[in-house]
DNA sequence: CACGTCACCTGCGTGC
DNA sequence: TGCACGCAGGTGACGT
């Protein structure tokens, strides 16, 4: 489900409900969900931790706690939401955190739900332990047309796998990469070091535009997991194989690049 | 360093 | 209805 805009949407929804509350207990239902610490150390470490801030780094959800930092990566099918404490456990619940009551609100719990079990959580002292290898945030000031151009020149890789590499840029996934490349009129398999300065500028602009539009529409919901987003109704290429390009009317093609389904317009995005 | 392949998992849609 | 198959928003560990 989630790329940067979907994670940002979840973070914005959770932030006002979580800040100022205390985690009372943890219940780990699928042990591999927790990378660190060990399941036996989790309870003692997390009980009594206050939630000071709720943030996002790339696709990671970051809860800043009194003395620890909790990170959650939703991977393919994860979701994170608040339920009433007396709600029945569901089939795909993997980690449940009991929250202190919030004013007159009833006791609640923060649930990490993940059908495919790819999602992961970390409870660490230092954020760097989890975020250390991530590339720049595409919507922050450190990411500029110049830095993107320099990064592209420094590598010799196909554009799509490079943009999916979280150490190159943090937050793009399969959908937003296809959408950004289409907006920038670049072929997914163009080599990064062949990109001209003005093309890099167009790509920078396209990346920011698709992410901002995704956030504005509360993300994309394209399967049974995520709810509420509208961006899926505005895809130009993703999932539109056989339909027409909204720019030129050509039939959108689907191919496979780096094991990922890849959608593009052969006219707007010529291979050259 | 770049790339291909597999592994991790479950569930849904399609076609026979 | 059942069943096999392909596909899925992500990443990490391999081998070449």
């Amino acid at each position: 489900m989630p790329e940067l805009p979907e994670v940002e949407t979840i973070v914005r929804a959770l932030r006002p409900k979580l800040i100022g509350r205390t985690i009372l207990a943890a219940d780990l239902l699928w042990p591999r969900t927790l990378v660190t610490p060990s399941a036996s150390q989790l309870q003692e470490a997390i009980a009594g931790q206050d939630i000071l801030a709720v943030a996002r780094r790339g696709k990671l959800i970051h809860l800043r706690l009194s003395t620890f930092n909790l990170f959650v990566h939703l991977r393919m099918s994860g979701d994170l939401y608040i339920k009433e404490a007396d709600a029945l456990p569901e089939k795909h619940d993997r980690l449940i955190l009991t929250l202190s009551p919030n004013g007159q609100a009833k006791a609640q719990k923060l649930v990490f739900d993940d059908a495919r079990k790819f999602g992961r959580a970390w409870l660490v002292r230092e954020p760097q332990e989890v975020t250390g290898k991530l590339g720049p945030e595409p919507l922050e000031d450190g990411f500029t047309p110049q830095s993107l151009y320099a990064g592209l020149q420094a590598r010799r890789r196909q554009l799509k796998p490079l943009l999916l590499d979280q150490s190159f840029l943090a937050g793009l996934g399969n959908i937003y990469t296809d959408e950004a490349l289409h907006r920038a009129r670049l072929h997914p398999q163009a080599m990064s070091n062949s990109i001209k300065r003005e093309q890099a500028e167009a790509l920078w602009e396209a990346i920011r535009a698709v992410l901002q539009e995704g956030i504005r529409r509360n993300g994309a919901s394209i399967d049974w997991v995520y709810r509420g987003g509208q961006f899926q109704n505005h895809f130009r290429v993703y999932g539109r194989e056989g339909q027409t390009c909204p720019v030129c009317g050509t039939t959108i093609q689907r191919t496979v690049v780096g094991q990922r389904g890849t959608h593009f317009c052969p006219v707007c995005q010529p291979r050259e």
Side-chain angles (χ1 to χ4, degrees):
Chain A
M1 147 188 141
E3 305 180 31
L4 186 155
E6 289 73 38
V7 177
E8 180 67 24
T9 299
I10 290 171
V11 163
R12 290 182 183 185
L14 289 176
R15 183 177 290 133
K17 299 177 179 177
L18 288 180
I19 288 182
R21 301 182 76 173
T22 302
I23 298 172
L24 302 178
D27 191 6
L28 182 62
L29 291 94
W30 180 254
R32 297 188 60 173
T33 296
L34 185 66
V35 177
T36 187
S38 67
S40 60
Q41 295 175 291
L42 173 65
Q43 185 73 25
E44 184 180 2
I46 208 166
Q49 291 281 308
D50 298 323
I51 302 173
L52 306 179
V54 182
R56 177 191 58 73
R57 176 74 174 96
K59 300 173 192 172
L60 288 160
I61 297 165
H62 176 196
L63 301 198
R64 191 160 62 80
L65 308 177
S66 308
T67 55
F68 288 96
N69 290 278
L70 177 67
F71 288 92
V72 173
H73 197 307
L74 303 173
R75 291 278 180 97
M76 295 286 269
S77 59
D79 199 0
L80 191 65
Y81 51 84
I82 293 172
K83 285 202 290 200
E84 300 308 312
D86 57 7
L88 292 175
E90 291 187 57
K91 185 176 179 182
H92 302 312
D93 291 354
R94 307 301 178 199
L95 174 64
I96 299 175
L97 302 179
T98 306
L99 301 169
S100 61
N102 181 19
Q104 72 274 41
K106 284 191 289 186
Q108 292 177 318
K109 54 189 178 182
L110 180 63
V111 178
F112 182 12
D113 168 288
D114 184 24
R116 291 177 69 181
K117 301 176 176 173
F118 289 168
R120 292 291 181 265
W122 298 255
L123 183 68
V124 294
R125 298 267 180 187
E126 294 301 322
Q128 281 291 108
E129 293 178 46
V130 180
T131 63
K133 292 178 181 168
L134 288 180
E137 279 294 317
L139 296 179
E140 292 186 1
D141 292 345
F143 180 60
T144 66
Q146 294 74 26
S147 70
L148 176 60
Y149 178 67
L152 294 170
Q153 299 308 308
R155 321 261 191 136
R156 186 171 302 196
R157 294 181 63 182
Q158 295 181 340
L159 284 183
K160 172 148 179 177
L162 182 57
L163 293 174
L164 288 173
D165 183 338
Q166 301 298 296
S167 70
F168 182 77
L169 187 64
L172 286 180
N174 208 36
I175 292 176
Y176 291 89
T177 299
D178 281 2
E179 293 297 313
L181 288 169
H182 179 264
R183 290 208 196 198
R185 307 181 67 88
L186 293 168
H187 192 280
Q189 292 176 281
M191 294 305 290
S192 62
N193 58 321
S194 75
I195 297 304
K196 305 302 175 202
R197 191 174 289 274
E198 62 210 48
Q199 293 177 307
E201 287 173 14
L203 181 57
W204 177 86
E205 177 66 36
I207 289 167
R208 295 172 53 101
V210 296
L211 293 177
Q212 283 164 344
E213 187 181 352
I215 291 170
R216 186 165 61 79
R217 298 192 187 279
N218 296 315
S221 18
I222 58 176
D223 69 13
W224 72 102
V225 176
Y226 192 52
R227 62 283 184 237
Q230 290 298 309
F231 189 59
Q232 70 278 9
N233 300 322
H234 301 271
F235 295 160
R236 298 188 189 181
V237 287
Y238 183 83
R240 298 190 63 247
E241 179 187 18
Q243 299 177 243
T244 57
C245 171
V247 173
C248 73
T250 303
T251 302
I252 301 296
Q253 291 184 6
R254 179 185 182 278
T255 180
V256 175
V257 179
Q259 326 297 111
R260 310 300 302 278
T262 295
H263 313 76
F264 68 104
C265 170
V267 171
C268 292
Q269 301 164 268
R271 180 112 191 218
E272 305 268 335

